[in-house]
Amino acid sequence: MHPKLTRRYFLPLISLLLIRYIPGSLCQNGGEYATCGAPFQCAGIRGISYPFFGWDRPEYCGYPGFQLNNCQGDCAGIRGISYPFFGGDRPEYCGYPGFQLNNCQGDVPILTISSVRYRVLEIDNSGKTVRVAREDLWNITCPRFLYNTTLEQNVFLLSPNYPIITLYYGCSTINGQAIPQLPSMFPCVVNDTSSASFFTVGGNFPSIPGLETGIRCETNISVPVNQAAAGFLAGSTASIVSLQDALASGFSLQWSANNNVCENCTRSGGLCGTNRDSQSFACYCVNGTSASTCNSIETENGT
């Protein structure tokens, strides 16, 4: 064979073999850093590089354990999700306990807080807020089960300027007198029986002209809404449609997930997460994992 032809075909073959069989020990440090640094957008993610592989990117281009699956879908249309959230193909150690997102293959991510499911409408990483809406009240006002909006106070706090509306179910007069039709009234079926229901803004039960006796209701739930929606619901033109719109607009929550520690970590060039063994804060750096920042790194293996 001609010497030039030999070099032409032999050198690329050697390069390919070196790439395929490069020792994994040379690339072990910083695996969490690379994983958590990838945008949380399963499919549609651009610029994927080592150590990730999957779909039309060959395995020899990545590192074992970094295969991306479900590359034909997306994370329910929400892009750029990072700490403290995790879920889908984003490992738990990249987030914070209580911030798991589900339904990533559906139309919207779902965040569960105190056993109540919320639709994630918007995430503001800089402001540390997430705007959510009750899944059980999405486009309906008569859910099968009635739950109050209860927050885990050490993790989530209702943002300012979100008044509370109260939904009253199974209402009737004490003496059986018919209840006049009001803008704040909406029909509901409770135990296969149609009954009157009301919504109020600020928790005050509406005054009903011409009603001789009081009203009693079987149960009620409270839900925050934005200031503009609350103002509209308090007006004389309120309706069940405006109530549904108010509930669908959602409300904003401020989160607390080692915020200050995380900011120090990111300023040092690290990525925030949670230690898989101790469940304490972890700062993932290029050369290992720290309990605080990459400037004074203390790796998990004690080096």
Side-chain angles (χ1 to χ4, degrees), residues 82-125:
S82 59
Y83 180 90
F85 297 95
F86 66 94
D89 286 332
R90 181 175 170 83
E92 184 175 359
Y93 60 76
C94 292
Y96 186 85
F99 285 79
Q100 181 174 5
L101 296 179
N102 297 302
N103 192 47
C104 286
Q105 313 313 319
D107 60 337
V108 65
I110 297 296
L111 177 66
T112 302
I113 304 174
S114 298
S115 301
V116 177
R117 289 163 56 89
Y118 296 88
R119 298 168 69 95
V120 176
L121 306 179
E122 182 183 12
I123 294 176
D124 180 4
N125 289 313

Side-chain angles (χ1 to χ4, degrees), residues 135-148:
E135 169 73 3
D136 58 339
L137 294 173
W138 187 257
N139 292 330
I140 60 174
T141 53
C142 304
R144 182 180 178 184
F145 302 102
L146 301 177
Y147 302 103
N148 265 322

Side-chain angles (χ1 to χ4, degrees), residues 119-187:
R119 298 168 69 95
V120 176
L121 306 179
E122 182 183 12
I123 294 176
D124 180 4
N125 289 313
S126 60
K128 306 293 187 296
T129 61
V130 54
R131 186 164 61 90
V132 298
R134 292 268 298 254
E135 169 73 3
D136 58 339
L137 294 173
W138 187 257
N139 292 330
I140 60 174
T141 53
C142 304
R144 182 180 178 184
F145 302 102
L146 301 177
Y147 302 103
N148 265 322
T149 304
T150 304
L151 304 177
E152 299 174 7
Q153 295 297 328
N154 60 330
V155 179
F156 294 103
L157 182 66
L158 181 65
S159 298
N161 301 320
Y162 282 89
I164 301 296
I165 66 171
T166 304
L167 308 180
Y168 294 89
Y169 296 95
C171 300
S172 61
T173 59
I174 295 177
N175 65 352
Q177 181 182 356
I179 302 176
Q181 186 66 36
L182 298 172
S184 60
M185 182 186 295
F186 57 95

